[in-house]
Amino acid sequence: MDFALSQDQKLMQASLAGTLDRACPLERVRAFAENREVVATDVWTALTDLGVPGLLIPEEHGGLGLAVLDAALVAETLGAHVAPTPFLGSAVLAPLAILAAGTAQQQSRWLPALAAGEILAGAAIAEGISGARDGAGVRAEAGRLTGKALFAFDAEQAGVILVADTDGGLWLVAGDAPGLALTPLTNIDLTRRLSELRFDATPADALAQGDIPPLLTRLRDVAWTLLAADMLGASEVMIAKAVAYAKERRQFGRVIGSFQAVKHLCAEMAAELEPCRALVWYAAYAQDAAPAEASLTAAHAKAHLSEVSRFVARTATEVHGGMGITDLLGLHYWFKRVGADRQWLGGPERVRHLAAVIQGLVAA
Amino acid sequence: MDLAYGPEYQAFEAEVSAFLEANRDRWPPAVGATREQVLAWQKTLIANGYAARTIPKAYGGYGAEVDILKSRIIAEAFTRAAAPGGLAGQGINMLVPTLLDVGTEEQKQRWIASTLAGETVWCQGYSEPGAGSDLASLRTHAVEDGDDFLINGQKIWTSTAKQADMIFCLVRTEPAAPKHAGISYLIFSMSTPGIEVRPLKTMTGAAEFNEVFFTDVRVPRSQIVGGRGEGWRVANTTLKHERGMLGDPNAAESRLAAIIAMMRAETVGGERLIDNPVLRDRLMQLQARVLAMKFNGLRLITSQLADESPGLAALIVKLQGCEINHQLAAMAIDVLGELGVLYEDSPHLRDHGVWQHRYMFDLGLIIGGGTAQIQKNIISERGLGMPREPKTVEG
Ligand SMILES: Cc1cc2nc3c(=O)[nH]c(=O)nc-3n(C[C@H](O)[C@H](O)[C@H](O)COP(=O)(O)OP(=O)(O)OC[C@H]3O[C@@H](n4cnc5c(N)ncnc54)[C@H](O)[C@@H]3O)c2cc1C
């Protein structure tokens, strides 16, 4: 038994962090957000040099062929840097779906291009996981899609978009398909992009129907795990920033970090977050190595990190005093990032309900 | 990362489970076990290597090599089977490791085997009315008198002092030295003349701890563990063992499983409690916390195996583990509703009132062994590198 990261994984995470320190410092994040950029091509290119877009794509299609645990380490690092990247859509959801259910032809058409970072992919699967709002829903008929999908990830400059229909079928739609209209949804988290997609008899390419319900479940579980990892990374940074600030800022002739009220806030954040690391690792490992535990641990990782990262976000902000809520400090990018991760693909109450369903405590 | 145990360990796992199944009729009952049943079971467990596993045979243990994985497999198998584990308590969990670390050969020979067998029961005499969290300010003192120490003073919150045969006790022997350097660690019999034990009834209704008064208690000088003035260091090795014991994730896991079973079985107005969405949501929140601490435990084991410092992952165990146990008890009594306030021998009582008892008793565990606030001091200072409290003139 070995519950730790391998040397390779540690190196990969460190080199990714180094790359993001250079390619994606806070000023770059701020520019992306303030200018409402759609894709930070420079950042994605830097990540492409490390193979991030092809992380989960097998070597025969030009990727690295790594596992969900590796993707979770990437997600953690992206969360730590509040990096503006189309990671979830391009590097995770679309490739996993195409790999699991695509024909040989669909695979060779999309996977090498995705792995090389030549095209981006989006994903419109929220309704199938967190439920439909505002009349959303996509119907499929004779290879054409009609209806609307809300909260689509990374769809704006996507060459291909993964779409879930109301019957649980999965489809690939070309980014420039006729009858596809896209409206950006302004998110509090300006580091990642969401949009609403409207389909009007839009031609679509079906992914093999047979295994669809389990595939959507796998996509859900992996996405939950990676959102949890993003929150883990973002929360670590918020704690580190709060602790560093508390060791510097002086009031009443002492650094505020010597006041027990402040120390205990920091200790509580650390005590809540530390076990989350093991929870995220375990959930990510389970996605590939322990299928029987994959759904339950993913649900708990998603819901629990949502609660802990909310606590960390407000507490780290408080430790900074008035400075904490300023735009200048920029802590709000992390604050909003975990706020979005919490709601995407189901808030904690919904996910915990599903956690109970998953283990057969109640019917769906 | 690889969570499989490998063939040797899988075989071992099967062996433990088979042992538990084959000996089911010897398990002492969860409630109302006799002393004979408990000691016989302890003997069986030691003989098979499921208690006192790594303690040398010469001292009454099983004498196996230290193998953290096997220890874990045993703990897991006992949890899964809901089997009664080996004896625990301050003698086995704190005194024995301390003697193994720093005791003389004679002390080891004399005390370890009988403690492991459950024949010698110990209590821990550290806290005093004026020295709780600030333990090093303790004032019970011992002066040399010929070949003996003569002890005077008072201890408080001493668990099981009434039942104990022996005490391991911190006393001040070097009054002129700085406070941490003036303490020694003595072990002596509770039947020594001059010791008076007054039980303190707690909110559970039982006298779980006591006051202990020492008046000219005469203890041979050979009964010091470690040297004079080294008691603080000796005690700290013991406290480390105590904190690990208090935050044990296996206990939380089996309590959670019991609550789930209860919520599936109990009904209110015909509705199963598991079908109540509010309670179920709370249950799921707790399950996430229990799982996170369980996986944190795996991480600790791996870092122990690799001889790496576990850092924060270890520092948080007492705080989080005790908090979760208390929340589990709170959840259980809320699930029981009005049944959750029945107690003692009441009709309709569930699980012998264990949840009501734990709800109160486990709050004591949050306080004992270093309070939650002291744990947060430790986490922020040792884990996060934050400054210590400025010293006041008085301290
Ligand atoms: C169930 C139980 C069993 C016990 N068994 C034993 C035993 O067998 N043997 C034994 O020797 N002792 C035993 N104890 C005693 C236990 O170790 C002490 O109760 C504990 O260390 C706290 O000391 P105190 O009770 O004097 O509280 P205090 O130290 O007076 O604390 C009171 C409050 O002040 C807070 N506080 C104190 N100092 C600080 C600080 N520096 N920073 C922030 N907050 C602070 C505490 O957190 C607490 O909230 C037991 C206690 C309990 C509850």
Side-chain angles (χ1 to χ4, degrees), chain A residues 124-340:
Chain A
I125 60 169
E127 281 78 21
I129 296 169
S130 41
R133 303 244 180 187
D134 286 351
V138 177
R139 275 166 292 106
E141 215 182 295
R144 290 182 178 265
L145 303 181
T146 299
K148 66 177 176 182
L150 299 182
F151 317 119
F153 297 114
D154 308 324
E156 284 160 292
Q157 287 194 3
V160 61
I161 303 169
L162 173 72
V163 180
D165 69 31
T166 44
D167 296 324
L170 286 167
W171 302 82
L172 297 177
V173 174
D176 57 1
L180 170 62
L182 185 150
T183 314
L185 301 175
T186 309
N187 216 352
I188 55 152
D189 169 27
L190 292 170
T191 67
R192 288 164 303 175
R193 307 277 301 185
L194 280 188
S195 38
E196 171 176 356
L197 305 183
R198 284 174 186 271
F199 303 91
D200 182 9
T202 308
D205 201 5
L207 284 170
Q209 295 291 338
D211 294 337
I212 291 311
L215 176 55
L216 191 57
T217 300
R218 171 157 165 85
L219 296 179
R220 175 197 74 183
D221 295 346
V222 172
W224 278 349
T225 304
L226 298 187
L227 289 170
D230 197 79
M231 291 187 267
L232 173 67
S235 300
E236 281 160 10
V237 169
M238 288 189 278
I239 295 176
K241 284 181 185 293
V243 169
Y245 186 76
K247 288 181 188 171
E248 233 171 57
R249 166 76 175 164
R250 299 181 71 87
Q251 286 291 281
F252 299 96
R254 309 157 47 173
V255 291
I256 59 166
S258 68
F259 293 117
Q260 206 173 46
V262 174
K263 283 164 72 175
H264 283 196
L265 288 179
C266 293
E268 284 162 16
M269 289 193 281
E272 287 296 311
L273 190 66
E274 195 57 29
C276 291
R277 177 181 302 283
L279 180 60
V280 168
W281 282 0
Y282 195 99
Y285 168 82
Q287 299 311 309
D288 291 312
E293 296 173 86
S295 291
L296 184 63
T297 53
H300 278 316
K302 168 73 159 76
H304 188 56
L305 266 293
S306 298
E307 305 293 16
V308 171
S309 66
R310 170 177 276 185
F311 168 70
V312 168
R314 67 78 47 99
T315 307
T317 303
E318 258 182 291
V319 168
H320 283 85
M323 183 61 82
I325 60 167
T326 60
D327 178 46
L328 178 72
L329 180 69
L331 187 67
H332 65 92
Y333 286 109
W334 284 266
F335 184 106
K336 293 167 184 171
R337 178 100 168 189
V338 298

Side-chain angles (χ1 to χ4, degrees), chain B residues 8 28 62 93 213 298 363 385 389:
Chain B
E8 181 199 342
Y62 177 74
N93 296 78
F213 296 86
L298 296 179
L363 182 53
E389 281 291 285

Side-chain angles (χ1 to χ4, degrees), chain A residues 2 263-264 271 300 352 359, chain B residues 2 281 287 320 377 381:
Chain A
D2 174 26
K263 283 164 72 175
H264 283 196
H300 278 316
R352 282 194 292 266
Q359 56 194 309
Chain B
D2 177 6
D281 186 69
Q287 187 176 46
Q320 293 293 60
N377 287 349
E381 288 164 14

Side-chain angles (χ1 to χ4, degrees), chain B residues 274-343:
Chain B
I274 196 75
D275 292 326
N276 176 313
V278 177
L279 289 174
R280 192 169 66 233
D281 186 69
R282 203 168 135 194
L283 176 74
M284 290 298 96
Q285 292 192 43
L286 274 171
Q287 187 176 46
R289 301 182 69 119
V290 169
L291 282 180
M293 286 308 289
K294 174 180 171 177
F295 302 150
N296 189 66
L298 296 179
R299 219 182 129 199
L300 288 176
I301 288 175
T302 299
S303 57
Q304 242 176 310
L305 286 169
D307 228 347
E308 283 167 4
S309 155
L312 273 171
L315 293 178
I316 58 145
V317 169
K318 199 274 169 176
L319 178 69
Q320 293 293 60
C322 291
E323 177 63 30
I324 289 171
N325 277 336
H326 188 243
Q327 287 188 18
L328 284 167
M331 169 97 218
I333 60 177
D334 290 353
V335 162
L336 288 169
E338 285 124 320
L339 294 174
V341 295
L342 299 181
Y343 205 38

Side-chain angles (χ1 to χ4, degrees), chain B residues 133-366:
Chain B
S133 299
D134 183 13
L135 181 59
S137 66
L138 62 91
R139 291 165 63 177
T140 295
H141 58 277
V143 293
E144 273 189 35
D145 186 39
D147 284 342
D148 300 329
F149 282 117
L150 214 51
I151 304 171
N152 281 283
Q154 185 202 337
K155 296 291 170 182
I156 194 169
W157 322 129
T158 321
S159 305
T160 66
K162 201 78 198 163
Q163 300 83 345
D165 308 293
M166 294 286 294
I167 184 169
F168 52 98
C169 191
L170 292 180
V171 297
R172 189 161 298 284
T173 50
E174 327 298 313
K179 68 179 185 181
H180 292 86
I183 298 170
S184 297
Y185 186 111
L186 300 181
I187 52 180
F188 48 93
S189 165
M190 286 298 283
S191 54
T192 316
I195 300 181
E196 187 197 346
V197 177
R198 291 188 205 152
L200 283 170
K201 193 166 162 181
T202 75
M203 66 162 116
T204 64
E208 277 135 351
F209 47 37
N210 308 267
E211 293 177 289
V212 182
F213 296 86
F214 303 117
T215 314
D216 291 334
V217 175
R218 194 169 276 282
V219 171
R221 271 164 50 192
S222 62
Q223 289 179 204
I224 190 168
V225 179
R228 275 183 66 150
E230 286 178 10
W232 186 253
R233 190 179 56 79
V234 175
N236 269 314
T237 50
T238 348
L239 282 175
K240 186 179 69 194
H241 297 295
E242 182 178 33
R243 282 175 193 158
M245 167 178 86
L246 288 175
D248 178 16
N250 282 310
E253 212 186 343
S254 37
R255 289 176 193 186
L256 180 84
I259 294 173
I260 292 176
M262 181 163 81
M263 288 177 69
R264 298 178 92 155
E266 294 279 349
T267 58
V268 175
E271 187 199 33
R272 290 191 317 160
L273 284 156
I274 196 75
D275 292 326
N276 176 313
V278 177
L279 289 174
R280 192 169 66 233
D281 186 69
R282 203 168 135 194
L283 176 74
M284 290 298 96
Q285 292 192 43
L286 274 171
Q287 187 176 46
R289 301 182 69 119
V290 169
L291 282 180
M293 286 308 289
K294 174 180 171 177
F295 302 150
N296 189 66
L298 296 179
R299 219 182 129 199
L300 288 176
I301 288 175
T302 299
S303 57
Q304 242 176 310
L305 286 169
D307 228 347
E308 283 167 4
S309 155
L312 273 171
L315 293 178
I316 58 145
V317 169
K318 199 274 169 176
L319 178 69
Q320 293 293 60
C322 291
E323 177 63 30
I324 289 171
N325 277 336
H326 188 243
Q327 287 188 18
L328 284 167
M331 169 97 218
I333 60 177
D334 290 353
V335 162
L336 288 169
E338 285 124 320
L339 294 174
V341 295
L342 299 181
Y343 205 38
E344 296 182 350
D345 55 358
S346 172
H348 302 286
L349 186 68
R350 296 296 197 271
D351 295 338
H352 310 279
V354 70
W355 298 110
Q356 293 84 328
H357 183 270
R358 276 187 191 142
Y359 178 67
M360 296 181 278
F361 187 79
D362 286 4
L363 182 53
L365 298 185
I366 291 175

